[in-house]
Amino acid sequence: MREKPRRSLRRLLTAALPALTLSVFGLVAATPAGAQPAAHAAVQSAQVSKVTQNAKALTAPAAQAVHATGKAGQKVPTERLCATAAPGSASCFAQRRTDIKQQLAAAVHSDAAAAVSGLSPANLHSAYALPSTGGSGLTVAVVDAYNDPNAESDLATYRSNFGLSACTKANGCFKQVSQTGSTTSLPTNDSGWAGEEALDIDMVSAVCPNCNIILVEATSATDANLGTAENEAVALGAKFVSNSWGGSESSSQTSEDTSYFKHPGVAITVSSGDEAYGAEYPATSQYVTAVGGTALSTSSNSRGWTESVWKTSSTEGGGSGCSAYDPKPTWQTDTGCTKRMEADVSAVADPATGVAVYDTYGGSGWAVYGGTSASSPIIAGVYALAGTPVPVTTRRSTPTPTPATCTTSPAATTAPARRVTSAPRAPATTARPAGAPRTAPPPSPPAPPRATR
């Protein structure tokens, strides 16, 4: 793939192309003198205003309050928003707390940031030492199944209540499309997946409020439709794509790798699942970043936060495992898995220390969510803050935030964008949750040769 032009060249083209267009069509419509500079200045002013507003919202002293909802590893009542996936399909991983009363925005105290339970955008920025600026002009895509008819309005409520800039279809920040790119012919509404979509776009907003967001909705939760939506997200220009869904591995997944996830120059994050040990696909794809889960709580230490691997029980926690099919990428050097290992990085996912989300389609407003469904869009947002990925053909193409981007580094087992190089420590015989059996993997076949693009 040809390297992206340097920033200075992009700026030159941005200025030159409109002038060229006007010169070609000058006989049709003449532009008044000074109109272009004025329009350009207005756009720049709007961008500066947005960045300033978001930085203030994330750093304001009043926004730093933490409304904790539990302790790390605590068993809390939740509902899984999506049913167990059938073969050839995927399930979303979103979990919503049922012991915390949901509230519509109208019923919340006027100081909503202080009244809403769960981790806020400012909390996440504090915990991961993220920059309060960055991401302008970059696009993060979220791929899910079915339609959330309230996605835009719920996102508006989430952002306004935390003081973030508006992100709407009208101002070009938010786009909601089908797997074919249509903005008018969207899939069937689904209350379960709608909750997943609300969680995903809220977390992207929380971490990278200056980023544009594309919500790509697959017609159904089949592997083929979700894969088609993945390709559409990339075709629409997203350099960061989050996927908070998955299912069991299969012998056909290496073909799906090439068809749907091999996108050099695009950082693709995938949730590793919420059932502790046991490989999930597409998290085990060699072309993605598999995102696990942690429990995140405040602390009196120098970081101000303490973080540990999310493990509620032997069958509930951040997913990990060894792939039976995908070959081990060259950047993985552990000896615990002969093939691809997951997870690679982690972020908060424990429902006991969950995040605030606003959803009114299938939900009743403000609620606390958890699961690695939260950590995947969080990491996608972190990658966007680090800048545009380098177009090479392995997951090493994803950028790692540097001290200039993330000023401090959390513990190695929990730091966003830090690779895990040791094998998952759990017996391969760990039981699966009731209703979600996983058969023992067959003998690993020889890895097929990688296709070229």
Side-chain angles (χ1 to χ4, degrees):
M1 179 179 290
R2 182 179 301 172
E3 290 189 5
K4 291 182 72 64
R6 293 182 178 178
R7 185 175 297 274
S8 59
L9 179 57
R10 289 201 301 271
R11 288 176 177 169
L12 175 62
L13 290 174
T14 300
L17 286 177
L20 177 61
T21 303
L22 288 170
S23 68
V24 172
F25 295 98
L27 294 177
V28 178
T31 303
Q36 278 185 288
H40 182 65
V43 171
Q44 283 190 320
S45 177
Q47 290 176 340
V48 171
S49 176
K50 177 179 71 173
V51 173
T52 301
Q53 176 182 344
N54 292 333
K56 181 179 179 180
L58 295 170
T59 58
Q64 308 310 310
V66 179
H67 301 281
T69 57
K71 297 180 179 180
Q74 177 185 347
K75 178 64 178 177
V76 294
T78 65
E79 59 177 332
R80 295 179 181 271
L81 302 190
C82 295
T84 301
S89 297
S91 175
C92 76
F93 296 134
Q95 297 185 44
R96 182 166 57 213
R97 293 277 292 269
T98 57
D99 60 328
I100 298 175
K101 183 180 179 181
Q102 298 181 53
Q103 301 180 81
L104 291 173
V108 173
H109 187 273
S110 58
D111 184 3
V116 173
S117 297
L119 298 176
S120 69
N123 296 157
L124 294 174
H125 274 252
S126 170
Y128 295 120
L130 300 175
S132 58
T133 59
S136 293
L138 297 177
T139 298
V140 178
V142 166
V143 172
D144 283 308
Y146 302 106
N147 180 50
D148 176 5
N150 297 353
E152 183 181 21
S153 60
D154 286 349
L155 179 63
T157 298
Y158 178 88
R159 293 178 69 106
S160 66
N161 277 274
F162 289 115
L164 302 175
S165 62
C167 185
T168 66
K169 296 173 183 176
N171 68 16
C173 174
F174 179 67
K175 181 179 289 187
Q176 184 174 9
V177 301
S178 70
Q179 68 184 49
T180 61
S182 173
T183 59
T184 56
S185 181
L186 298 175
T188 303
N189 298 341
D190 184 277
S191 59
W193 278 89
E196 176 65 67
E197 293 174 24
L199 167 61
D200 293 347
I201 60 179
D202 284 359
M203 290 306 98
V204 173
S205 292
V207 173
C208 190
N210 298 321
C211 286
N212 297 327
I213 302 172
I214 302 176
L215 173 59
V216 186
E217 300 175 328
T219 303
S220 71
T222 64
D223 294 346
N225 282 331
L226 285 165
T228 299
E230 194 81 13
N231 289 340
E232 182 62 25
V234 176
L236 290 172
K239 293 299 182 184
F240 315 91
V241 185
S242 175
N243 306 272
S244 296
W245 43 267
S248 298
E249 290 198 301
S250 72
S251 58
S252 64
Q253 70 187 48
T254 51
S255 295
E256 293 180 12
D257 280 349
T258 302
S259 298
Y260 305 132
F261 301 105
K262 188 178 180 182
H263 293 289
V266 178
I268 299 176
T269 62
V270 181
S271 301
S272 67
D274 302 341
E275 297 168 352
Y277 189 81
E280 297 269 0
Y281 187 81
T284 52
S285 169
Q286 61 190 299
Y287 299 118
V288 310
T289 298
V291 185
T294 66
L296 179 65
S297 305
T298 55
S299 172
S300 59
N301 61 20
S302 59
R303 179 186 172 190
W305 298 84
T306 182
E307 195 165 19
S308 58
V309 173
W310 168 34
K311 183 180 180 182
T312 303
S313 68
S314 62
T315 58
E316 183 180 354
S320 65
C322 301
S323 176
Y325 303 103
D326 258 70
K328 182 179 288 297
T330 56
W331 45 265
Q332 283 192 345
T333 58
D334 67 281
T335 57
C337 294
T338 58
K339 293 187 180 297
R340 205 273 201 238
M341 176 195 72
E342 62 159 324
D344 301 308
V345 297
S346 294
V348 62
D350 187 347
T353 63
V355 297
V357 172
Y358 194 78
D359 168 39
T360 60
Y361 191 80
S364 299
W366 288 108
V368 175
Y369 280 60
T372 53
S373 277
S375 56
S376 177
I378 286 173
I379 294 298
V382 171
Y383 278 144
L385 291 175
T388 304
V390 177
V392 295
T393 57
T394 70
R395 199 193 60 81
R396 290 186 75 99
S397 63
T398 53
T400 300
T402 61
T405 305
C406 296
T407 55
T408 61
S409 296
T413 56
T414 59
R418 182 164 182 175
R419 300 185 181 94
V420 178
T421 56
S422 58
R425 296 181 180 178
T429 55
T430 298
R432 298 287 290 169
R438 186 191 300 282
T439 57
S444 300
R450 295 183 185 180
T452 58
R453 289 178 69 83

